[in-house]
Amino acid sequence: MNSSPAVPQHVAIICDGNRRWAKEHGLEVFLGHQKAVDEVFEPLIDRASERGVKYITFWVFSTENWQRASQEVSYLLQLLRDVFDKQVKRLHEKNMRVQVIGDTSKFDQDIQDRITDGIELTMNNSGITVIFALNYGGRDEILRAVERVQLDHPDEKITEHMFSSYLDTMLIPDPDFVIRTGGEQRLSGFLLWQIEYAELAFPEFYFPDFTPEKLDELLAEYASRKRRFGK
């Protein structure tokens, strides 16, 4: 039997509840997303770094998000631009590294350029790695990986190690702890391959209400669990 370490190496967060938070506060749905960007991401990253977390992933734009109202999608895309124009620079100043998973080829070229520039700017930093899942879907990731494996190894037996090396997370350790805010107890395809033995938490609060103190509480819950990895 393996005991879980006091702090997970990799925390992955499904950022759910922005729209519900806004509606319950009598606001336009866009303002829930805005609050998340302006007030939630950086304090969580800072606290995770202080606690010794090495990787933190935020699922902020899924492959299904394109189906939302065009006005909301446009607003979300502008927020992405703001994140890479402003917040990534601040993360760089804190010696933090930025990576992105998902099929970013579907974004406008200026967003793709911002993503590339942000990754290159921070690639040599040694602090916490902040991963943004953008146009990400678990099945989409697996299908893209299968296509690449088949092209590169058409006559070879596919092994688990080989397949993992073709995923978006090829250079990122699997999550130890997955948190979905908003009370929904499902994963919606998030990191389907990688979360095989991850611990899961489904707090009721919405993502705009996710404070560093709430992260501390969840990390304490994680530390109390026993991870057996099927043994």
Side-chain angles (χ1 to χ4, degrees):
M1 182 185 301
N2 293 319
S3 298
S4 89
V7 177
Q9 177 180 214
H10 182 180
V11 175
I13 302 172
I14 302 173
C15 309
D16 197 16
N18 292 343
R19 297 193 294 176
R20 284 177 286 160
W21 178 90
K23 290 177 181 178
E24 289 187 10
H25 286 78
L27 303 171
E28 294 289 339
V29 295
F30 317 122
L31 295 180
H33 303 308
Q34 187 75 58
K35 180 177 173 62
V37 169
D38 290 346
E39 302 179 27
V40 180
F41 284 122
E42 282 192 75
L44 287 181
I45 294 167
D46 289 342
R47 181 58 60 86
S49 179
E50 292 169 3
R51 294 294 306 275
V53 175
K54 301 301 183 185
Y55 298 82
I56 186 166
T57 296
F58 297 97
W59 192 12
V60 295
F61 194 97
S62 77
T63 50
E64 286 72 37
N65 285 161
W66 298 106
Q67 301 170 23
R68 294 183 176 180
S70 59
Q71 188 178 9
E72 183 179 359
V73 171
S74 296
Y75 196 91
L76 286 168
L77 295 179
Q78 187 55 50
L79 284 178
L80 287 183
R81 294 181 173 95
D82 292 343
V83 166
F84 281 89
D85 285 344
K86 301 173 185 177
Q87 294 194 7
V88 167
K89 292 179 181 178
R90 293 199 293 271
L91 297 179
H92 175 57
E93 292 170 356
K94 299 174 186 178
N95 193 36
M96 297 173 178
R97 192 159 56 114
V98 172
Q99 293 189 357
V100 171
I101 60 174
D103 184 4
T104 59
S105 68
K106 299 298 191 293
F107 291 118
D108 291 341
Q109 188 60 51
D110 72 289
I111 294 178
Q112 294 184 50
D113 292 342
R114 284 172 164 86
I115 292 171
T116 299
D117 290 345
I119 293 171
E120 291 181 352
L121 175 68
T122 65
M123 64 185 302
N124 293 320
N125 293 344
S126 58
I128 189 173
T129 297
V130 182
I131 302 122
F132 294 107
L134 304 176
N135 192 36
Y136 178 85
R139 289 185 176 183
D140 178 74
E141 178 190 25
I142 289 172
L143 287 174
R144 287 186 285 108
V146 168
E147 290 177 355
R148 293 195 295 270
V149 171
Q150 289 176 334
L151 284 173
D152 291 350
H153 306 277
D155 301 318
E156 295 182 46
K157 179 181 179 181
I158 299 175
T159 65
E160 182 176 325
H161 176 74
M162 178 194 297
F163 186 75
S164 294
S165 71
Y166 280 83
L167 293 169
D168 295 348
T169 55
M170 63 184 75
L171 300 177
I172 301 166
D174 291 345
D176 303 292
F177 193 27
V178 177
I179 302 165
R180 179 176 186 148
T181 56
E184 301 291 352
Q185 297 188 24
R186 58 177 179 270
L187 296 171
S188 301
F190 185 49
L191 298 173
L192 287 172
W193 178 271
Q194 298 89 339
I195 63 170
E196 181 179 21
Y197 286 112
E199 296 295 313
L200 310 178
F202 301 99
E204 292 289 335
F205 59 81
Y206 300 136
F207 187 70
D209 290 324
F210 202 161
T211 63
E213 292 73 24
K214 288 185 170 68
L215 178 60
D216 286 338
E217 293 172 2
L218 287 162
L219 291 177
E221 178 186 339
Y222 171 86
S224 72
R225 299 185 185 184
K226 302 296 183 182
R227 301 186 72 192
R228 297 177 174 82
F229 300 95
K231 297 179 182 177

